[in-house]
Amino acid sequence: MIKRILDHIRTLPDFDFEGKRAFVRVDFNCPMDRREVADNTRIASTIPTIRYILDHGGRVIIASHLGRPEGYEEEFSIKPVARELGRLLSEEVRVLPFDLGGEDPGSWKDSENRVLMTENLRFYSGETRGDEDLAAFLSETADIYINDAFGASHRKHLSVYALPGYFTEKGIGFLVEKELKAFCKVLKDPEKPYTVIMGGSKVSDKIKVLEHLLPVADQFLIGGAMAYTLLKAKGCDVGASRVEKDRLDTARRILEEAEHLKKDFILPVDHCLVKTVDRPGEKIYSRQIETGYMGVDIGPETVRLFSAFIRKAKTIVWNGPMGIFEIPDYAVGTNRVAEEVSRSGAYTVVGGGDSVRALRALGVGDEVGHMSTGGGASLKLLEGNGLPGINILLESP
Ligand code: ADP
Ligand code: MG
C-alpha cells in the first residue's frame, strides 16, 4: 500500500508553482502558553515546503487547526501561530478574517500577499462535519492543493479529506513525503533482524498495529500497561495492574498468532511496583506481583532482556513508553530502552505522541532515524492501510 502511494503521489518538484497560489494544509497544532507558541517544532518542520513554493514563484494560503475549540473562541485564534510562522519565514503573514460570509475567495487568491493564512479551521463547524460550503470557498482561494499535515491525515476532516476533491492539481509537501518514506522503509522490505518495541496504555489502541507487524517483524518487546493485559491473558498474576478485561480474548489471539508464526514475543519478567501511583517513594522491584500492587514500569531484568534484542536489531519500530514515564521514578525503563535504541545502529522509526515526547525529553532526537510528527497518524500507517488524507490524493477528481 505505502509503496504504491509513494510511487504514484505527486511531490513538490512535480508542480509548476510559478504565478499560482497553493493551499497548504499543515499541522500547526502547537503547544501554547498564554496565547504564545510554546514549542514551534511543528511550524519549523514545514518551512522547507513553504519556502520551496515561494522560491519557485508561487504564493501560499496556509491552513491549520489549533486545539479543540467549539466554534469561534478568541483564545484559540491562529494569529500567534501566524506571527511565529512569519518570524521563521521572514515574510509577512496575513490572516483571513474568521467570518468568510462576505469574502470573495478569488480576491484572496489573487491578492499580492505571498503568505496568507486561514483562521483556525476548527472555528468552522464544516471542518469536522464535512460541510461542502466551506470546501467550495477554500477551493477557490488556490490553484494547487498540498497536504503537509501528516499529523492530521488520519482524520476524515474536510480540509484533508473532502477539499482535495475540488482540485485537479494536488500532492504532498516535504514533511509528509519524509514521513511516508520512513514508514515505507519499516513496512516494506525492512532489514533484519527487525524488532518492534511496544508499550503505552492500551492493547485496544495497538491491536491492529500488532496484527499487521506480526508477520513482518522478528521480535516483539512489550512493556507499558498493555503488557499486563497480555500477562493476564497468559494466566499470570498481575495484582492491581491496569488490565483491559474486555480485551483478554484479543490478547490471547495475539499470543497464539505470535506462537504460530514462531516469533519472539517477549513480555516483562520483572516490574517496578507500587500500591498507589502517587507514592513513587514506596516503589519496589520484583518478579512476582503481590495482591494490591500495580506495575508502573519494567524492571532491570526486563531491560537487560530487551537490550540484548535491541543491540542485534537492524530495524526498530517503537511505539509506546515502557511505564508511566511522566513520573520520573517510573521512567527508568523507558529511558534505558531509549538509550539502547539510540546507541544501536538500527534504522529506527518512533511513532506515537508520548513515545516521541519521552525520547525528546531525554535529548534523543532525529539521530535515531525517524521521529514521527504524528501520533495517531503514525499508528494508523503502521496498521498498513495508508491514511485517508493521503490516499485521497491518488484519486482523480
Ligand atoms: P503513544 O502516545 O506513544 O502511542 P500511549 O498513548 O499508548 O503512547 O501510552 C502512553 C501512556 O501510557 C502514558 O500516559 C503512560 O503513563 C501510560 N502507561 C505506560 N505504562 C503504564 C502502566 N504500566 N500503567 C498505567 N499506565 C501506563
Ligand atoms: Mg498517547
Side-chain angles (χ1 to χ4, degrees), residues 230-243:
L230 287 152
L231 284 168
K232 175 101 184 162
K234 272 183 111 169
C236 301
D237 221 336
V238 299
S241 305
R242 193 147 128 203
V243 167

Side-chain angles (χ1 to χ4, degrees), residues 281-337:
E282 293 171 19
K283 72 174 183 182
I284 56 163
Y285 285 98
S286 164
R287 290 184 136 248
Q288 272 356 296
I289 308 180
E290 303 288 339
T291 314
Y293 279 91
M294 62 187 289
V296 288
D297 191 11
I298 56 173
E301 278 187 58
T302 308
V303 169
R304 266 196 297 281
L305 187 62
F306 285 8
S307 301
F309 285 106
I310 294 168
R311 282 177 202 155
K312 280 188 233 136
K314 288 271 190 318
T315 305
I316 296 174
V317 165
W318 184 0
N319 170 261
M322 298 290 102
I324 307 180
F325 74 100
E326 297 91 336
I327 300 171
D329 280 278
Y330 313 148
V332 182
T334 303
N335 294 350
R336 294 285 315 277
V337 168

Side-chain angles (χ1 to χ4, degrees), residues 214-359:
L214 262 176
V216 191
D218 306 303
Q219 295 103 27
F220 296 81
L221 314 176
I222 314 285
M226 69 182 286
Y228 296 102
T229 303
L230 287 152
L231 284 168
K232 175 101 184 162
K234 272 183 111 169
C236 301
D237 221 336
V238 299
S241 305
R242 193 147 128 203
V243 167
E244 284 174 277
K245 291 201 186 70
D246 56 340
R247 295 298 159 137
L248 289 170
D249 283 341
T250 315
R252 256 174 235 122
R253 205 179 68 229
I254 288 286
L255 291 165
E256 278 164 18
E257 182 68 8
E259 198 172 311
H260 172 71
L261 294 170
K262 300 196 167 52
K263 303 290 178 171
D264 293 311
F265 200 85
I266 318 289
L267 296 172
V269 292
D270 63 340
H271 317 268
C272 172
L273 300 165
V274 288
K275 277 186 175 160
T276 48
V277 175
D278 53 8
R279 299 234 183 112
E282 293 171 19
K283 72 174 183 182
I284 56 163
Y285 285 98
S286 164
R287 290 184 136 248
Q288 272 356 296
I289 308 180
E290 303 288 339
T291 314
Y293 279 91
M294 62 187 289
V296 288
D297 191 11
I298 56 173
E301 278 187 58
T302 308
V303 169
R304 266 196 297 281
L305 187 62
F306 285 8
S307 301
F309 285 106
I310 294 168
R311 282 177 202 155
K312 280 188 233 136
K314 288 271 190 318
T315 305
I316 296 174
V317 165
W318 184 0
N319 170 261
M322 298 290 102
I324 307 180
F325 74 100
E326 297 91 336
I327 300 171
D329 280 278
Y330 313 148
V332 182
T334 303
N335 294 350
R336 294 285 315 277
V337 168
E339 282 158 20
E340 286 294 342
V341 167
S342 66
R343 243 183 267 141
S344 89
Y347 180 73
T348 303
V349 170
V350 184
D354 293 295
S355 321
V356 170
R357 247 190 304 284
L359 268 100

Side-chain angles (χ1 to χ4, degrees), residues 77-90:
S77 170
I78 207 79
K79 283 178 188 139
V81 175
R83 269 199 302 278
E84 181 61 12
L85 173 65
R87 197 182 66 79
L88 292 175
L89 271 179
S90 305

